[in-house]
Amino acid sequence: MVADRRDWTTVSFEEGREALKEWREEHARRSEEVVELWEHVLSRSPSSLADELCTVYEQVCIAALDCSRTDLAHECINALHKRFPGSSRVLRLQAMFYEARGQWKTADDIYEKLITADETNPAYRKRRVAMLLGQGKRLEGIKALVEHLESFITDSEAWLQLSELYLAESDYARAAHAMEEVLLTAPTNSIYLRRLADIRYTQGGQENVEVARAYYEQALKFSPVDLRALYGIVLSCNTLVATARVTPDKKREYMTAAAAALARIQERYESVEPEAANPEEHSNIMEANHRGNVKLIKLVS
């Protein structure tokens, strides 16, 4: 859902303060609005933020970098550096500042310093990966991410990113393995289940397509309204029915599963009354479903 856009230049100081606090707690990335609030409201009296001042400086700095406002980010970093010279959090912001300006070597040197000082903090290694990807160095990013996961094997976000990078390299086997690691931390997440099913289906071959079908069905179990999972079942079954080594009993099983999925897809479209909204589109959908059923019957018979 798109956040409501309002004019933040006219709000009171307390309203602006509460808005920034709410966005921090919700981890909302509303960078343009953060910058607007700071410049037009909160920067008039920073001392009134009391204990929140340094947290707000950090929030504004990251928002400014998002908006390519390196001037404002530099002001925030200087203010924080005066209060906390040598702080690792301030150094990380400095590295991000150099990233934004394209000074990759300087940023990398700071990250190296931070990693050496605290090898247990994954944030610095992940920023280094982001920096490599920002330079278009995908293979080096993959290598850095693999090294990161050797130390932080339960980092599901890193596994998810690694899977996407392998997909970009068309390395489906490794992409599938990375998604399996993600599923270990979130076994009931229907989106992850479906994504793994998509990868397996793309790999091709009877065994992979059968596994894909199983993952699509599992995704549908946890999210019964998932249309993409339903279509995945239809595609998987169509592919398996056309496989020469499939027995007649298996073909009937696949046909039954696909027909059931098609029926549920049709029910979903009919439930939102598309006929009344767009009769031509409704007719096309119904015709496509009919062709899908006919195709399945021909394949099995």
Side-chain angles (χ1 to χ4, degrees):
M1 184 176 66
V2 179
D4 293 334
R5 192 70 170 89
R6 58 176 288 191
D7 181 7
W8 293 98
T9 62
T10 58
V11 301
S12 68
F13 188 91
E14 277 305 312
E15 281 183 289
R17 180 179 188 167
E18 286 301 314
L20 287 190
K21 183 179 180 181
E22 181 183 343
W23 296 340
R24 286 198 304 273
E25 291 173 350
E26 294 177 353
H27 303 286
R29 201 74 172 247
R30 301 175 68 163
S31 302
E32 292 182 2
E33 291 158 297
V34 170
V35 169
E36 189 176 278
L37 262 176
W38 173 257
E39 292 194 312
H40 295 279
V41 181
L42 300 178
S43 63
R44 297 171 186 169
S45 181
S47 59
S48 299
L49 291 167
D51 294 340
E52 289 182 69
L53 179 59
C54 294
T55 305
V56 169
Y57 271 138
E58 186 175 13
Q59 184 179 9
V60 173
C61 178
I62 293 172
L65 291 174
D66 284 346
C67 299
S68 299
R69 287 290 308 279
T70 53
D71 57 326
L72 178 56
H74 192 255
E75 289 177 19
C76 295
I77 291 170
N78 284 340
L80 288 168
H81 181 69
K82 288 177 183 177
R83 287 172 171 262
F84 308 102
S87 163
S88 59
R89 291 181 69 165
V90 177
L91 279 174
R92 181 174 67 89
L93 291 174
Q94 285 180 335
M96 292 170 66
F97 171 78
Y98 288 122
E99 282 185 61
R101 296 183 62 179
Q103 295 175 255
W104 309 111
K105 181 64 169 64
T106 306
D108 189 62
D109 289 342
I110 295 175
Y111 287 133
E112 181 62 33
K113 179 180 178 181
L114 289 168
I115 291 169
T116 302
D118 184 5
E119 295 184 353
T120 62
N121 192 325
Y124 310 139
R125 298 173 188 268
K126 291 167 84 169
R127 281 306 317 167
R128 211 174 195 180
V129 172
M131 185 177 66
L132 289 169
L133 297 179
Q135 297 175 77
K137 298 179 179 179
R138 195 159 56 207
L139 293 178
E140 291 182 35
I142 289 173
K143 182 180 178 182
L145 203 50
V146 169
E147 290 174 358
H148 164 76
L149 285 165
E150 288 175 358
S151 301
F152 303 93
I153 196 169
T154 59
D155 188 342
S156 60
E157 289 182 354
W159 281 114
L160 186 60
Q161 177 69 70
L162 185 61
S163 178
E164 292 174 356
L165 291 173
Y166 279 136
L167 282 175
E169 292 294 320
S170 299
D171 191 340
Y172 300 116
R174 287 192 173 94
H177 169 71
M179 276 307 305
E180 286 166 356
E181 293 291 340
V182 176
L183 274 174
L184 288 176
T185 61
T188 62
N189 188 307
S190 63
I191 295 175
Y192 295 160
L193 286 163
R194 194 183 67 225
R195 184 172 296 184
L196 180 53
D198 289 340
I199 296 171
R200 288 292 196 179
Y201 181 82
T202 304
Q203 279 183 277
Q206 183 177 342
E207 183 179 345
N208 283 320
V209 176
E210 285 178 345
V211 172
R213 177 202 166 194
Y215 279 124
Y216 283 129
E217 289 178 342
Q218 190 74 354
L220 198 62
K221 175 182 175 183
F222 294 115
S223 180
V225 296
D226 192 338
L227 270 176
R228 289 183 63 182
L230 285 168
Y231 278 115
I233 291 170
V234 174
L235 289 171
S236 299
C237 289
N238 266 342
T239 302
L240 290 168
V241 166
T243 304
R245 290 182 295 171
V246 174
T247 64
D249 287 344
K250 274 290 185 180
K251 284 188 177 183
R252 277 190 289 272
E253 177 190 329
Y254 297 142
M255 178 266 186
T256 302
L262 281 168
R264 289 180 66 175
I265 291 170
Q266 187 167 335
E267 287 174 9
R268 285 292 309 282
Y269 279 114
E270 289 176 341
S271 68
V272 294
E273 299 180 346
E275 187 170 11
N278 191 337
E280 184 179 351
E281 182 181 354
H282 177 269
S283 176
N284 291 336
I285 291 168
M286 295 304 104
E287 184 181 349
N289 285 336
H290 174 70
R291 286 199 304 268
N293 279 303
V294 170
K295 182 180 178 183
L296 280 169
I297 292 169
K298 287 180 177 178
L299 284 169
V300 173
S301 58

